[in-house]
Amino acid sequence: MRIDYQLLPESERKMPPSSGENLGFGTRRTNHMFLMNYADGEWRNPRIVPYGPISLMPGAMCLHYGQTLFEGIKAFRHADGEIYTFRPDKNAERSNLSAKILCMPSIPVPLYLEALHRLIDVEREWCPTLPESSLYIRPFMFATQDALGVKPSKEYIFCIMLSPSGPYYPGGFSKAIRLLVTKTFHRAVSGGTGEAKAGGNYAASLRAAEHAYAQNAAQVLYLSADNSQIEEVGSMNHFHVRKDGSFVIPAFTDTILRSITALSVLELGRLGLIKAREESIKIDDFLKDVASGEIIEAGGFGTAAVISPVNEYLLEDGTVIKVGTGEIGAHSRALYELYSAFQTGLQPAPSGWLHKVEHYV
Ligand code: PLP
Ligand code: COI
């Protein structure tokens, strides 16, 4: 499909952030976005246009029934001056899985990748180089048909926007966070939308997150609906490190988002670079092992969060359980450094992980 360019004249473009600027996460926008419409059973009119408002009918179904999905991807500028996206094919595939779960149309993976690479190509100077910063890419899709019956929309918009960003949590890797372990709030049930990156999952997580913030916790650790197993964090996958140095993540089920970061860590395990595995983890065993020192490190994995160490778990009865020494652990640090080196090109990444952004224009 031919992607149409409707670019702003140079004189009307905003300047990218200066190289030393403290960016925060997700606050800045670039000059352009990608848009594409779905109607009559096909994707149409793929285009790169100035970033700005999108007009919708008040009856657009996304506004009523929340039929929306999104992804989060990162691009990095390497020492050769070129920009590389990190495993965007995995996000395109997961977006199609979310679409299936939410009765939305899929997008051919090559079209998805071309759209995001062409958009990044026109915004090259927006890719930051500061440590812990990247060009964060947010592809998303939403239902636009003007109809009030509860059924899948027949029309959609797919959009990609870009945001030069720093770390997700303000302190970055070196500031460990506290998690609230909740038995009151749940993120997903089997047969629901937990495995999808559905907008509604995040709307449903806000109330729990507010409870966490009120208790100085950065996020909630969600358990299975019967409160027995660890599932994931509000915006990250969860991991812990055992005394033998192995990384353990909760076994993927249909209530856990298939974290590309966690799946990449498991791949590093298969490549023999670290010890990593997935397994079902009972919350009671986990807390006991943290308290006894069998578990020495813990944290979250995610595109935005990268690797975010957790130094304490707050239980709903007020008990605080500290992890290890409370300092950032050596295993988490080594993995963070290895993973970041792959992303930023300081060390050759496993085959197929980095996708170079071609010079199209
Ligand atoms: N779990 C949830 C609920 C998330 O929002 C995210 C973030 O994308 C993750 C896990 C981590 O997924 P990924 O590593 O693909 O970014
Ligand atoms: C990401 O890690 O890219 C996410 O989408 C998490 C988030 C909700 C900011």
Side-chain angles (χ1 to χ4, degrees):
M1 230 188 289
R2 207 181 138 270
I3 296 175
D4 191 29
Y5 288 78
Q6 300 161 26
L7 304 186
L8 275 175
E10 292 284 348
S11 59
E12 288 175 33
R13 294 188 190 181
K14 288 177 300 186
M15 292 294 284
S18 59
S19 59
E21 193 173 323
N22 183 3
L23 291 167
F25 176 80
T27 56
R28 302 291 301 265
R29 303 285 172 265
T30 67
N31 285 306
H32 300 93
M33 62 186 177
F34 174 86
L35 285 179
M36 175 165 79
N37 298 72
Y38 183 90
D40 300 325
E42 61 180 25
W43 287 107
R44 296 167 168 187
N45 194 11
R47 58 204 185 275
I48 293 172
V49 297
Y51 180 80
I54 295 174
S55 86
L56 286 178
M57 296 308 273
M61 293 171 87
C62 63
L63 301 175
H64 302 260
Y65 308 129
Q67 206 189 2
T68 70
L69 62 81
F70 70 97
E71 278 298 326
I73 309 173
K74 279 179 172 175
F76 300 86
R77 190 188 298 282
H78 288 194
D80 63 2
E82 298 295 340
I83 297 175
Y84 296 81
T85 51
F86 187 77
R87 310 202 79 182
D89 49 328
K90 296 291 161 203
N91 294 86
E93 286 163 12
R94 187 174 66 187
S95 179
N96 285 340
L97 171 68
S98 300
K100 198 166 159 200
I101 293 170
L102 296 164
C103 299
M104 297 167 87
S106 65
I107 298 177
V109 172
L111 173 60
Y112 194 104
L113 298 183
E114 186 179 343
L116 72 91
H117 282 182
R118 281 188 184 269
L119 176 63
I120 296 167
D121 179 42
V122 302
E123 308 283 46
R124 283 183 178 273
E125 70 272 34
W126 289 80
C127 187
T129 49
L130 267 188
E132 297 199 62
S133 68
S134 61
L135 187 63
Y136 184 77
I137 305 156
R138 174 51 62 85
F140 59 107
M141 192 198 297
F142 50 96
T144 54
Q145 189 188 349
D146 186 347
L148 294 185
V150 180
K151 54 184 191 285
S153 171
K154 292 195 170 76
E155 293 163 13
Y156 298 87
I157 289 178
F158 175 68
C159 178
I160 307 175
M161 56 189 265
L162 305 176
S163 177
S165 289
Y168 187 65
Y169 298 109
F173 175 79
S174 41
K175 176 122 185 22
I177 56 171
R178 162 190 270 203
L179 292 182
L180 171 68
V181 181
T182 179
K183 293 190 171 176
T184 308
F185 301 104
H186 295 92
R187 179 181 172 275
V189 288
S190 185
T193 59
E195 200 180 355
K197 210 159 164 62
N201 290 346
Y202 295 82
S205 76
L206 298 175
R207 194 160 60 118
E210 290 295 310
H211 276 259
Y213 304 150
Q215 295 169 81
N216 288 325
Q219 272 289 338
V220 162
L221 176 64
Y222 283 110
L223 307 178
S224 52
D226 65 359
N227 286 331
S228 66
Q229 314 273 330
I230 292 187
E231 296 219 315
E232 62 182 315
V233 186
S235 52
M236 304 186 285
N237 193 261
H238 187 261
F239 74 86
H240 65 258
V241 182
R242 302 201 71 87
K243 248 186 355 204
D244 69 354
S246 43
F247 284 82
V248 186
I249 63 157
F252 285 108
T253 63
D254 75 341
T255 53
I256 298 178
L257 185 76
R258 294 185 68 78
S259 160
I260 292 157
T261 316
L263 291 167
S264 301
V265 169
L266 291 173
E267 268 185 65
L268 296 181
R270 284 193 289 276
L271 291 170
L273 296 173
I274 54 168
K275 285 191 263 185
R277 63 175 186 275
E278 51 176 311
E279 68 186 30
S280 303
I281 303 159
K282 290 201 169 63
I283 182 67
D284 292 346
D285 294 346
F286 171 78
L287 293 174
K288 190 164 54 63
D289 289 353
V290 171
S292 72
E294 278 299 315
I295 287 174
I296 54 174
E297 298 175 27
F301 289 141
T303 299
V306 198
I307 293 165
S308 291
V310 171
N311 61 3
E312 56 188 32
Y313 291 82
L314 171 67
L315 310 189
E316 283 174 325
D317 65 5
T319 310
V320 174
I321 299 184
K322 292 207 180 295
V323 186
T325 58
E327 302 295 311
I328 309 285
H331 298 280
S332 302
R333 184 176 295 283
L335 180 60
Y336 175 76
E337 282 168 5
L338 180 68
Y339 202 74
S340 305
F342 289 152
Q343 291 185 316
T344 55
L346 292 176
Q347 212 165 303
S351 168
W353 282 21
L354 290 170
H355 292 230
K356 184 172 163 188
V357 176
E358 297 303 336
H359 293 257
Y360 297 96
V361 287

